[in-house]
Amino acid sequence: MNLQKNYILLFIAFIIFIGLSAFLSISIFPKADLGIENLWDGTSLLLVNVSAYLLFMVVFGFIKKSHVDFFYFKLIWIQEILIILGFIGFGIGLVFMYEGMHQPPPPGVDPTAQLVSSTAIALLTIIYGFFGSTGFYLV
């Protein structure tokens, strides 16, 4: 089974993740002036997907031979890690949101925009975690 190689597995799941994210952004913002670039919050993407892939390669990267049961174990493991990292990112976003509520904003900055951007980080990490997990489920 060719999918048992780690880099092929990660590449296919990441392509599925990109497709699911693009589908979500097109369906949410069809008539707004917002494009796909507004959905991509780099902090959330790095926190969830890239760190999950790095953890996966640290844990399973040096294993040369595997069988089908171990392949399924790796799939389930990375799905759970993606969801866990999504909720860790949600907690970090909530901390940013509460910190922004506690401090007064700088002059000329809308406090609502500052609150919404912190909330977006919190919610996007959960979405990235579930989309990444769904990508590995579809593999």
Side-chain angles (χ1 to χ4, degrees):
M1 178 179 255
N2 287 336
L3 283 179
Q4 290 181 357
K5 297 185 187 272
N6 293 331
Y7 58 90
I8 295 173
L9 172 69
L10 292 176
F11 180 73
I12 291 173
F14 189 70
I15 295 299
I16 293 172
F17 165 75
I18 294 294
L20 287 173
S21 298
F23 176 73
L24 175 76
S25 64
I26 290 170
S27 63
I28 287 179
F29 305 116
K31 295 182 182 176
D33 291 333
L34 303 174
I36 284 180
E37 65 273 5
N38 292 325
L39 184 66
W40 296 103
D41 184 22
T43 306
S44 303
L45 183 67
L46 287 175
L47 180 70
V48 177
N49 282 14
V50 175
S51 60
Y53 295 164
L54 289 176
L55 279 172
F56 182 81
M57 290 308 288
V58 165
V59 173
F60 299 112
F62 300 109
I63 298 173
K64 298 293 181 195
K65 301 219 176 196
S66 68
H67 48 83
V68 175
D69 292 335
F70 187 65
F71 175 71
Y72 291 137
F73 172 76
K74 290 191 299 186
L75 283 177
I76 292 170
W77 186 87
I78 198 162
Q79 287 174 358
E80 291 175 356
I81 288 296
L82 281 163
I83 292 173
I84 289 169
L85 287 173
F87 280 108
I88 288 173
F90 177 72
I92 292 171
L94 283 179
V95 168
F96 288 155
M97 184 178 70
Y98 293 145
E99 182 180 325
M101 290 170 59
H102 196 290
Q103 298 175 353
V109 174
D110 185 18
T112 309
Q114 186 178 9
L115 180 68
V116 168
S117 66
S118 299
T119 307
I121 291 173
L123 296 177
L124 279 177
T125 53
I126 292 176
I127 291 172
Y128 287 150
F130 281 119
F131 277 174
S133 178
T134 303
F136 281 100
Y137 179 75
L138 291 177
V139 168

